[in-house]
Amino acid sequence: MPLSAEPVAKPIVIAHRGASGERPEHTLASYERAIALGADFVEPDLVMTRDGVLVARHENEISGTTDVAARPEFAHRKTTKSIDGEAVTGWFTEDFTLAELKTLRARERLPKLRPQNTVYDGQFEIPTLQEIIDLVRANETAAGRRIGLYPETKHPGYFQGIGLAMERPLVAMLEKNGYSHAGDPVFIQSFEAENLKELRGLTKLRLIQLMGAEPHFAAMTTPEGLKSVATYADGVGPAKALIVPVSKLGKREAPTRFVADAHAAGLKVHAWTFRVENYFLPADMRKGLNPRGRGDMAAEIRLFVELGVDGVFSDNPGEALAALE
C-alpha cells in the first residue's frame, strides 16, 4: 500500500513553462494555450536582461530556446561563464538589452521528442514578466476566473553577484500589479534557500522551496530539514523521484515518506514534472518503445494524488486536469 497523507482538496495544476508540451516553452502562446486548457497557474522561469528587466526563459543561456546562434550580429556575444559552479558556453540574457532580446525568436527546446512543436519555431518573442501578467489579467476578465502566477527565480545568487539582483524588482513588479498578500494567486519558487529567505523579508506572497533528487538536497528533505524549510517557505516543490523513486532501469520503487513529512511540517507539496512522453515516464506507464510516444501520464498523476500531493507541475496541463477529474 502506498503511504498516503491526510485527504486534501483537489490538487492545483501548474502549467510548467506554459503548455510546453504543445507550444515552445516560455512564450505568450504557451501560456495562452495553458490558460485555454484550464490551468490553475502558469509558470514563468525568470532571468534578467542587461538593463534589468525580468524576462521568461528556463535558463539565462538561450541558445537552446531561441535562434540566437543563427544571428550573425550576435556571434561575438558567445562566451563561457561559470553559472552556479558549472562552466556554460553560449549566449546569456544578461549580455543583451530587452530591445535586443526582442529581435530573437523562440524555438522548441526538445525537437526530437516534440517535433510537432517545431512548426512554431521562429514565430514568438521572449516575453517579459509584465507581458505575462497582462496576458493573465486579460484572460481572467474573459474567462471570469482567477489565474495564478507561479514565477521561479533562476540563478538568483548568480544574478545578485553581477549586480542584477532579482528579489526587489520581482516583488515590486508583482506589487505594482496588485499581488502582495498571502491570499493572492501567486507562488514564488526557487531552488536557492537564501533567495527565498530574502524574499520572505520583502513579501507576504507564498514561497516554495524547490528540491531536486541530487545529493546536495538530501539534508533538506529529512523531517528536520523540512521543519527548517517551513520557517521561511509555505511549501516545497520536490522532484517526483523524492516521492516515488525510479531505478536506472525505469522501475518504480516504494514511495517514500516525503509527502507525509512535508505535511507534518505544515508545508504544501507541489511535485514536478509530469509529461506525456514515454521518455519521462516509469517503465510500467509507457506505451510502446518510442521515447516520444504518449504514455500513461494520467496514471502517474493519480498515483501522486493518492500519495497526497497538493499540486502538480505539468507540460501537458489539459491532460493533467483530465487525470484529476
Side-chain angles (χ1 to χ4, degrees):
M1 291 290 291
L3 292 166
S4 61
E6 67 277 6
V8 295
K10 183 178 177 181
I12 61 171
V13 171
I14 305 135
H16 186 241
R17 312 177 196 175
S20 54
E22 300 185 27
R23 302 289 187 276
E25 66 184 43
H26 294 313
T27 59
L28 290 182
S30 183
Y31 301 125
E32 190 159 34
R33 178 62 177 157
I35 292 167
L37 291 168
D40 300 302
F41 287 78
V42 294
E43 186 223 23
D45 294 332
L46 299 176
V47 295
M48 296 288 273
T49 68
R50 190 172 73 194
D51 44 351
V53 181
L54 289 159
V55 297
R57 288 290 90 186
H58 176 55
E59 293 290 341
N60 55 327
E61 198 289 299
I62 54 174
S63 63
T65 60
T66 74
D67 60 359
V68 67
R71 297 297 187 96
E73 67 270 32
F74 297 129
H76 65 287
R77 303 272 179 96
K78 187 177 184 180
T79 187
T80 299
K81 300 188 179 192
S82 178
I83 309 297
D84 298 342
E86 181 179 348
V88 180
T89 299
W91 290 260
F92 298 84
T93 58
E94 65 269 22
D95 295 332
F96 293 76
T97 64
L98 176 62
E100 289 173 328
L101 286 177
K102 282 293 188 181
T103 69
L104 302 177
R105 291 296 177 268
R107 65 182 181 89
E108 172 56 38
R109 185 177 63 89
L110 301 171
K112 292 183 178 179
L113 284 175
R114 295 172 177 168
Q116 72 279 5
N117 284 5
T118 62
V119 300
Y120 300 104
D121 286 358
Q123 295 187 26
F124 308 127
E125 297 180 354
I126 295 176
T128 66
L129 175 58
Q130 184 61 61
E131 288 170 339
I132 297 165
I133 293 173
D134 291 344
L135 177 75
V136 164
R137 284 296 173 81
N139 278 274
E140 283 182 336
T141 301
R145 70 179 180 96
R146 294 307 302 272
I147 299 161
L149 286 165
Y150 209 120
E152 179 184 348
T153 54
K154 301 294 294 191
H155 310 296
Y158 166 79
F159 277 109
Q160 189 170 67
I162 61 172
L164 289 170
M166 309 174 78
E167 292 83 2
R168 290 184 184 277
L170 173 57
V171 171
M173 174 71 70
L174 291 170
E175 288 184 348
K176 182 180 101 170
N177 286 278
Y179 302 106
S180 59
H181 302 292
D184 289 332
V186 175
F187 291 95
I188 303 174
Q189 56 176 330
S190 180
F191 281 103
E192 297 184 22
E194 291 308 312
N195 171 240
L196 292 171
K197 290 174 182 177
E198 185 169 346
L199 285 166
R200 182 78 293 157
L202 298 174
T203 183
K204 294 179 181 178
L205 293 169
R206 291 167 292 179
L207 305 179
I208 300 291
Q209 173 68 62
L210 296 173
M211 300 177 181
E214 298 84 0
H216 63 270
F217 287 103
M220 194 179 277
T221 67
T222 65
E224 296 74 21
L226 290 164
K227 289 175 185 176
S228 179
V229 169
T231 64
Y232 62 86
D234 303 280
V236 288
K240 293 184 300 183
L242 291 173
I243 298 172
V244 181
V246 176
S247 74
K248 290 182 179 179
L249 296 177
K251 184 178 180 180
R252 280 190 292 126
E253 299 176 351
T256 70
R257 290 195 52 83
F258 183 92
V259 175
D261 291 342
H263 283 166
L267 296 164
K268 296 290 186 184
V269 180
H270 299 159
W272 53 271
T273 302
F274 295 85
R275 299 170 164 121
V276 298
E277 291 90 0
N278 284 328
Y279 181 84
F280 299 109
L281 287 162
D284 63 323
M285 293 176 178
R286 298 171 192 160
K287 293 181 180 179
L289 299 177
N290 188 340
R292 66 182 183 224
R294 295 170 67 87
D296 197 352
M297 183 188 77
E300 185 181 39
I301 287 178
R302 287 193 291 268
L303 169 63
F304 277 74
V305 171
E306 289 175 9
L307 294 170
V309 299
D310 306 287
V312 296
F313 289 83
S314 181
D315 290 8
N316 310 90
E319 287 93 333
L321 286 160
L324 297 177
E325 292 300 326

